Amino acid sequence: MSRLGKKEEETLIEMASATDNNMVILINFKPSRSAGEDSNGPLYESSSNTESELPGNSEGLSSTETTLLIPDHQVTGRRYNLFLKRRLRIDKRHQSKDSVFFRDGVRRIDFVLSYVDDPNKDEEKKADRRREFESNLQKSGLELETEDKKESENGKTYYVKIHAPWEVLITYAEVLNIKVPIKENDVPCTIENPIDCMLSPFRLPEKVMHPDPDYFTAPFRKDRQELYLIHDESTFFSPSVRNRIVFYILTRCPYGTEEGKKKFGIKRLLSNGTYTAAYPLHDCQYWKKSNDPHCDNERYTLYMEWARFLRFFKEQPLDLIRKYYGEKIGIYFAWLGFYTEMLFLAAVVGLFCFLYGLFTMDANMSSKEICDPAIGGEIIMCPLCDVDCNYWRLNTTCRPSEYSHLFDNVATLFFAIFMGIWVTLFLEFWKRRQARLKYEWDLVDFEEEQQQLQLRPEYEAKCTQKKKNPVTQEMEPYLPLTSKAVRFCISGTTVLFWTSLIIASMIAVILYRLSVYAAFASIMKNTQTLQPISGLLTPQLATSVTASCLNFVIIMILNFLYERIAVWITDMEIPRTHLEYENRLTMKMFLFQFVNYYSSCFYVAFFKGKFVGYPGNYTYMFSHWRNEECDPAGCLIELTTQLTIVMAGKQIWGNIQEAIVPWIWNWWGRQRARCNPENLYSRWEQDHDLQRFGHLGLFYEYLEMVIQFGFITLFVASFPLAPLLALMNNILEIRVDSWKLTTQFRRPVASKAHSIGVWQEILNGMAVLSVVTNAFIVAFTSDMIPRLVYYYAYSPNANSPMSGYINNSLSVFRVSSFSVKPKDQGDIDFCRYRDYRYPPDHELQYSHTMQFWHILAAKMAFIIIMEHVVFIVKFFVAWMIPDVPADVTARIKREKFITQKILHEYELNKLKEKLCQGKAYQGMEKEFIATEGKVELSQAM
């Protein structure tokens, strides 16, 4: 084990609460000059008599006075020899600019800041901010190295390279409660699956899947460094952990006082243009390995094994993704991969249901009667609009009725019930998968409470008033109740306004449907070129398709606008923590997109054709436009059309937006990176020219997938092929997301997450809602229940129970009773319309028949029965499947036992050393006995 062998001279760091902004102050941090300073110029200003302020009291920091001991920045003999050996191998004049190290070739670049020296009226103020900010970074222990603009490709940009030395890393590793290895995992692997040999074509090499050995881990503490497996200080903390620590410091480092307020944080400096970018570096180019033999080339490995589409059939290297990008991005790809795997089962069942409808299409009695010239050809239907529409024959809808049977058959009912159970299995098995990842990625003790304690820098800056926290008994900033109420009122009003705007746009599309139907009917009747396809493209279908496309365009426009509004109103609310910020933004965006994407589908499924009235007494929207009617074969085919266009259009547009747009923006930079030699185009410049992966990057990825999840669950009874479309999209989505993250974006700052967060609750809510919506779709949108009632109660033909169904489902109207007569009256006395009403000669003419009420009762009974059956099965399945696998529970207990045992033995050995050195003091023997007792108790447990 290689580490700092003896305890070195220590420097006192006092963290005291600042007087006016709840800032933690680092005092007397004395970094010595590095061995490479003689060649690179002075890297530090003397900080022995100055103070550096680091705001924030999160993730373990207390705003009360605290004392930490940090080893001084003195290079030990072993480390100095290592430095000399590496320095001899490196000639500064010939060092590759593709390197991820300082000019000395020893210190790793953990973060890069860039800025442009742009002469204008604010440049002097920006320069003062940068000077103060960088000075405070150095006082906090970070080491800086600046690349002059003359060295940059464009001759305008300065690059400030940041390195976190060992002492800073171990200090903040303790502050951030980072877990590190203490012992190799001795729990045997689970028994291999017998079918693993069959899955070998889908496997990746072991080194790619598991880049690091499995260890028992414990939170890092500086006073227990002997416990940890520190083989090499330069690689002990992974680059993702290092950039997380540096970013933590950057977001809390002050840069001065403006307008009487303390200003701090790299985010503010980026927003006001003081710096143009802040990012950690990729470790190499993605298309080739680095020349540095010490580089792990993880980016290259991710590109070759994960980000290329030709690897779509391979499993994802989740451990390597987590190591390179952090747990938050890793958990997203783990969820997306698991969701895609589960979609395979739903897609197969949905495909079989579709094939059942396809193979039984010729046996469908309803479409046979509609297409039969002796039946459907003799039935005259009432006009579908006033004045401009004419009477029409039922057999003109022959093709749509046949296509409707593809999705409106008995398999639809089975698939709706199956999907209700599938979604439960998906959510329950994901909980188990998530629990396994929590253990494997050392997130078992990582709770959201840690994030809840972490105040957002924006909150600390904008909330000038303070009050005592009843839990910590410390003064902390807070937002007054009156200000909070006003902000929430503005936010709620804005959300309500935009939701109303969506509903207004949907009504506009409905009016479009009502207005253009007559035009389509007239065009198709009078245009000879459309006659060959008139059986396929009916006025109803043309209206439905064009309205769906128009609705999709409106959805995209409203999404573009609302995304910016949602971020603005969430910023205005000033959420206290990062977790609150993400949750509030998530709920706003999901509520908006839920209404935006699904409102048109809800209209077609549950409102279209339900409030039409009957000939002579039609219902009108705004007293002008007559409400739409469903096709004689039902509204399900229109719902299928609407769902297909919106769902497929969203997926196609999303992939274009995610892949092609970043590629276009990076095209010029990528060409320059490939053409110029390494010594002219540095690693930090290459990454600077890439797109920024913002803090909401994953938010939009989750939102896209959750909206897709709604399409395949809420309305799946109308389109069994929806899971298949989603599966094909997700296979592409995984590779598109991985490709753009690896090749088109700067390396994101690593961050922790032990779950998918609030999205889990949203998925649970949609799973429950999907049971209700699918039950209503089967009952009210499809023709299944009316056909079953006719089959069992009203069919006069026992040999062919469904014969005569079409005639039974159409009521009769006397043409002379029309209040608004069509232009072409013709020699017609009666017309038919879709409803269950008495004929004109009946004493209860045009009133609902008893069959109507029987069908309505059957529909309500079906909804109640289906919901209860599916919910009972769902809850039983959820109860049967434990959230945490048994082997994971055993491993967690084993790790806790080993960790406690090692820590107790360490304490016992330290006490023995003190006793042996003659440094015993009063009470030492009692402490020794107590420690021994703890070890024995731990072993007994």
Side-chain angles (χ1 to χ4, degrees):
M1 183 184 299
S2 174
R3 58 169 309 282
L4 285 172
K6 306 270 186 189
K7 209 161 192 180
E8 303 170 9
E9 192 177 333
E10 295 177 326
T11 303
L12 184 65
I13 291 187
E14 297 178 356
M15 296 185 178
S17 59
T19 56
D20 58 350
N21 205 25
N22 196 32
M23 295 189 179
V24 177
I25 303 175
L26 266 65
I27 306 173
N28 295 336
F29 193 93
K30 301 178 181 178
S32 64
R33 297 178 181 271
S34 69
E37 184 180 321
D38 54 345
S39 62
N40 295 332
L43 294 176
Y44 307 104
E45 295 177 10
S46 174
S47 59
S48 58
N49 297 318
T50 59
E51 297 181 353
S52 169
E53 300 177 346
L54 280 162
N57 63 341
S58 56
E59 289 192 84
L61 283 177
S62 171
S63 60
T64 57
E65 292 190 3
T66 309
T67 300
L68 292 176
L69 294 176
I70 292 186
D72 197 5
H73 286 232
Q74 301 297 328
V75 181
T76 63
R78 179 182 60 78
R79 294 172 68 192
Y80 185 66
N81 290 335
L82 175 64
F83 167 78
L84 288 178
K85 289 178 182 178
R86 294 196 64 179
R87 185 62 184 269
L88 289 174
R89 297 200 306 263
I90 297 173
D91 183 349
K92 172 190 165 187
R93 293 171 297 177
H94 298 92
Q95 183 188 7
S96 169
K97 293 188 73 174
D98 193 49
S99 172
V100 292
F101 293 93
F102 276 21
R103 297 191 192 104
D104 57 23
V106 177
R107 293 171 294 170
R108 185 183 187 90
I109 301 173
D110 296 314
F111 228 88
V112 174
L113 308 178
S114 66
Y115 63 91
V116 177
D117 195 0
D118 185 17
N120 56 44
K121 60 180 181 180
D122 294 330
E123 183 53 36
E124 185 176 348
K125 182 184 293 185
K126 292 179 181 178
D128 291 339
R129 290 173 183 161
R130 285 192 294 266
R131 193 179 302 110
E132 181 70 18
F133 185 69
E134 292 171 17
S135 173
N136 288 332
L137 289 178
Q138 291 174 338
K139 292 173 186 177
S140 67
L142 298 178
E143 299 175 4
L144 311 182
E145 185 178 79
T146 302
E147 291 288 332
D148 192 81
K149 64 180 180 180
K150 297 177 182 178
E151 301 291 329
S152 66
E153 175 73 18
N154 58 14
K156 299 178 182 179
T157 307
Y158 291 88
Y159 295 94
V160 181
K161 298 174 287 185
I162 302 175
H163 168 74
W166 174 254
E167 290 75 13
V168 172
L169 292 174
I170 62 176
T171 299
Y172 284 93
E174 182 173 349
V175 168
L176 297 176
N177 204 36
I178 292 173
K179 287 188 173 184
V180 294
I182 59 172
K183 184 181 185 297
E184 286 196 23
N185 194 331
D186 60 359
V187 179
C189 297
T190 55
I191 300 174
E192 292 188 2
N193 194 325
I195 64 172
D196 274 352
C197 58
M198 299 173 58
L199 300 177
S200 57
F202 307 101
R203 302 294 189 195
L204 289 173
E206 183 65 19
K207 183 61 179 175
V208 177
M209 287 301 298
H210 305 288
D212 293 323
D214 192 12
Y215 294 104
F216 291 136
T217 59
F220 188 86
R221 285 188 56 179
K222 290 193 303 177
D223 58 350
R224 294 176 176 173
Q225 293 186 47
E226 296 86 355
L227 282 175
Y228 311 119
L229 303 180
I230 307 177
H231 302 296
D232 186 350
E233 290 175 0
S234 62
T235 59
F236 180 66
F237 293 107
S238 66
S240 61
V241 173
R242 296 174 70 102
N243 72 55
R244 179 185 165 211
I245 290 174
V246 173
F247 186 71
Y248 180 85
I249 298 173
L250 289 174
T251 55
R252 287 156 176 80
C253 185
Y255 59 84
T257 303
E258 297 178 8
E259 300 176 357
K261 295 181 180 179
K262 292 273 188 180
K263 300 292 183 179
F264 59 90
I266 188 62
K267 293 180 181 179
R268 281 179 168 273
L269 292 173
L270 289 171
S271 63
N272 60 31
T274 303
Y275 289 100
T276 56
Y279 52 94
L281 292 180
H282 284 293
D283 63 350
C284 65
Q285 295 168 333
Y286 69 86
W287 64 86
K288 69 174 183 178
K289 292 185 177 181
S290 171
N291 294 327
D292 187 352
H294 301 282
C295 179
D296 292 332
N297 295 297
E298 290 173 347
R299 185 190 187 194
Y300 172 80
T301 303
L302 286 170
Y303 174 71
M304 297 301 294
E305 302 290 348
W306 178 53
R308 295 188 301 165
F309 181 74
L310 293 178
R311 313 290 285 180
F312 73 91
F313 61 93
K314 294 286 188 178
E315 60 184 336
Q316 297 187 86
L318 295 177
D319 287 348
L320 185 58
I321 297 169
R322 172 247 183 171
K323 181 183 177 184
Y324 192 75
Y325 291 115
E327 288 80 2
K328 193 168 187 178
I329 290 178
I331 206 79
Y332 163 72
F333 280 103
W335 176 81
L336 180 57
F338 184 81
Y339 172 44
T340 304
E341 291 171 10
M342 291 294 292
L343 273 176
F344 181 78
L345 176 61
V348 169
V349 176
L351 180 60
F352 276 116
C353 292
F354 174 78
L355 293 176
Y356 171 83
L358 181 64
F359 293 143
T360 59
M361 184 186 299
D362 294 336
N364 180 29
M365 185 60 67
S366 298
S367 59
K368 277 185 177 181
E369 290 186 348
I370 292 176
C371 298
D372 189 347
I375 301 176
E378 296 297 324
I379 296 177
I380 306 298
M381 302 295 294
C382 297
L384 293 174
C385 64
D386 296 335
V387 182
D388 294 326
C389 294
N390 294 322
Y391 301 98
W392 53 284
R393 296 187 181 275
L394 182 60
N395 64 349
T396 58
T397 62
C398 174
R399 288 293 179 84
S401 68
E402 292 178 340
Y403 297 147
S404 179
H405 179 72
L406 290 173
F407 311 106
D408 190 0
N409 52 67
V410 292
T412 301
L413 173 60
F414 165 76
F415 192 60
I417 296 174
F418 168 80
M419 287 302 294
I421 299 171
W422 173 88
V423 72
T424 303
L425 292 174
F426 163 63
L427 294 174
E428 292 302 317
F429 281 123
W430 166 245
K431 290 178 184 177
R432 292 170 61 84
R433 178 72 174 126
Q434 190 170 256
R436 191 176 296 278
L437 288 176
K438 284 176 66 175
Y439 167 73
E440 293 175 353
W441 291 356
D442 296 324
L443 300 171
V444 173
D445 296 327
F446 177 78
E447 299 294 341
E448 296 293 353
E449 284 73 16
Q450 294 182 14
Q451 294 189 20
Q452 290 171 356
L453 291 173
Q454 184 177 348
L455 298 180
R456 295 174 64 238
E458 296 85 352
Y459 181 85
E460 294 179 291
K462 293 180 180 179
C463 298
T464 56
Q465 301 185 40
K466 295 186 178 183
K467 69 176 182 179
K468 182 178 290 187
N469 187 311
V471 178
T472 62
Q473 294 297 306
E474 297 171 0
M475 298 299 293
E476 63 178 30
Y478 83 103
L479 191 65
L481 184 61
T482 53
S483 176
K484 187 181 295 185
V486 171
R487 293 173 187 274
F488 272 106
C489 286
I490 297 175
S491 173
T493 303
T494 306
V495 172
L496 185 62
F497 168 77
W498 280 89
T499 305
S500 303
L501 189 62
I502 297 172
I503 296 173
S505 68
M506 184 188 70
I507 293 174
V509 173
I510 295 172
L511 296 180
Y512 165 84
R513 286 171 175 266
L514 301 177
S515 302
V516 303
Y517 176 80
F520 277 122
S522 176
I523 292 173
M524 292 180 181
K525 180 179 179 181
N526 300 322
T527 305
Q528 295 299 320
T529 56
L530 296 178
Q531 290 302 316
I533 61 171
S534 60
L536 177 65
L537 185 63
T538 62
Q540 295 99 316
L541 184 59
T543 303
S544 179
V545 171
T546 56
S548 298
C549 293
L550 177 62
N551 183 63
F552 174 72
V553 173
I554 294 174
I555 285 172
M556 292 296 104
I557 295 173
L558 290 177
N559 267 353
F560 176 80
L561 297 175
Y562 185 76
E563 283 177 3
R564 286 141 185 81
I565 297 296
V567 172
W568 175 75
I569 58 179
T570 306
D571 288 338
M572 182 199 63
E573 291 175 5
I574 318 180
R576 185 173 181 270
T577 66
H578 294 283
L579 184 64
E580 286 184 16
Y581 184 90
E582 289 189 6
N583 288 348
R584 291 185 188 181
L585 182 61
T586 298
M587 295 310 299
K588 291 183 183 68
M589 284 297 298
F590 176 74
L591 174 64
F592 176 84
Q593 296 221 0
F594 183 92
V595 178
N596 198 17
Y597 279 107
Y598 302 145
S599 58
S600 58
C601 293
F602 272 102
Y603 164 73
V604 175
F606 305 124
F607 296 97
K608 182 179 179 182
K610 306 300 186 296
F611 310 99
V612 176
Y614 60 91
N617 189 26
Y618 284 117
T619 305
Y620 289 83
M621 179 179 287
F622 304 124
S623 302
H624 184 73
W625 290 281
R626 201 176 102 187
N627 285 352
E628 285 185 284
E629 296 182 45
C630 287
D631 189 271
C635 273
L636 196 70
I637 188 65
E638 291 193 40
L639 177 59
T640 304
T641 304
Q642 178 77 24
L643 182 65
T644 305
I645 290 176
V646 176
M647 180 181 174
K650 181 185 184 304
Q651 292 178 348
I652 294 171
W653 175 251
N655 286 322
I656 291 174
Q657 205 172 21
E658 291 181 10
I660 297 180
V661 172
W663 181 85
I664 292 174
W665 280 107
N666 291 332
W667 179 79
W668 175 246
R670 218 161 34 89
Q671 294 301 313
R672 183 169 56 182
R674 288 180 180 273
C675 296
N676 287 353
E678 290 179 357
N679 61 347
L680 295 180
Y681 196 60
S682 63
R683 161 68 24 226
W684 43 91
E685 287 180 286
Q686 293 175 40
D687 285 9
H688 181 269
D689 288 342
L690 298 176
Q691 295 296 298
R692 173 177 173 266
F693 190 81
H695 68 287
L696 295 178
L698 279 185
F699 167 80
Y700 292 113
E701 301 296 342
Y702 275 118
L703 184 62
E704 178 186 2
M705 288 296 102
V706 169
I707 294 298
Q708 182 204 85
F709 181 82
F711 280 125
I712 69 164
T713 54
L714 296 177
F715 307 101
V716 74
S718 66
F719 190 37
L721 292 180
L724 181 61
L725 289 182
L727 174 65
M728 293 189 294
N729 173 80
N730 288 6
I731 291 173
L732 179 64
E733 179 78 18
I734 291 174
R735 303 304 157 179
V736 168
D737 286 349
S738 58
W739 174 79
K740 72 179 184 182
L741 198 62
T742 307
T743 67
Q744 304 300 309
F745 284 89
R746 298 171 189 159
R747 186 174 185 170
V749 179
S751 58
K752 279 184 172 289
H754 75 293
S755 68
I756 61 175
V758 70
W759 299 109
Q760 182 79 36
E761 301 306 319
I762 291 176
L763 292 175
N764 289 333
M766 294 181 74
V768 174
L769 181 61
S770 68
V771 177
V772 179
T773 56
N774 283 300
F776 272 86
I777 287 173
V778 173
F780 286 98
T781 309
S782 79
D783 254 12
M784 181 176 298
I785 302 300
R787 286 199 296 262
L788 290 175
V789 171
Y790 178 81
Y791 183 93
Y792 287 107
Y794 289 90
S795 176
N797 190 343
N799 296 325
S800 180
M802 289 305 297
S803 61
Y805 169 72
I806 292 297
N807 185 64
N808 175 265
S809 64
L810 299 175
S811 299
V812 180
F813 181 76
R814 193 189 302 275
V815 171
S816 59
S817 301
F818 267 124
S819 56
V820 180
K821 300 185 184 298
K823 288 181 179 178
D824 187 9
Q825 186 72 25
D827 186 19
I828 298 173
D829 297 323
F830 298 95
C831 65
R832 309 293 292 274
Y833 61 98
R834 181 182 170 84
D835 207 342
Y836 293 93
R837 294 179 182 271
Y838 289 111
D841 297 330
H842 197 277
E843 60 180 354
L844 298 175
Q845 63 175 1
Y846 305 136
S847 298
H848 283 124
T849 64
M850 188 57 65
Q851 185 176 354
F852 170 84
W853 299 109
H854 287 166
I855 292 174
L856 181 61
K859 289 179 177 180
M860 300 306 297
F862 170 80
I863 291 172
I864 295 172
I865 293 172
M866 178 179 169
E867 286 182 358
H868 281 71
V869 168
V870 175
F871 279 135
I872 289 172
V873 174
K874 279 169 63 70
F875 292 132
F876 179 74
V877 169
W879 174 75
M880 286 288 292
I881 301 175
D883 292 346
V884 182
D887 65 307
V888 172
T889 303
R891 286 167 175 260
I892 293 173
K893 291 180 179 179
R894 172 67 178 168
E895 180 163 348
K896 287 184 177 179
F897 166 73
I898 291 295
T899 303
Q900 290 177 356
K901 182 179 178 181
I902 292 175
L903 292 177
H904 293 161
E905 288 179 349
Y906 173 78
E907 293 176 1
L908 185 62
N909 291 333
K910 295 292 286 184
L911 288 173
K912 286 181 179 179
E913 288 179 8
K914 291 181 181 180
L915 289 173
C916 293
Q917 293 172 0
K919 295 182 180 180
Y921 53 86
Q922 188 176 6
M924 177 68 74
E925 293 184 0
K926 292 182 178 180
E927 184 178 352
F928 176 77
I929 294 172
T931 305
E932 262 192 331
K934 284 200 295 183
V935 175
E936 293 174 358
L937 179 61
S938 175
Q939 292 174 342
M941 292 174 62

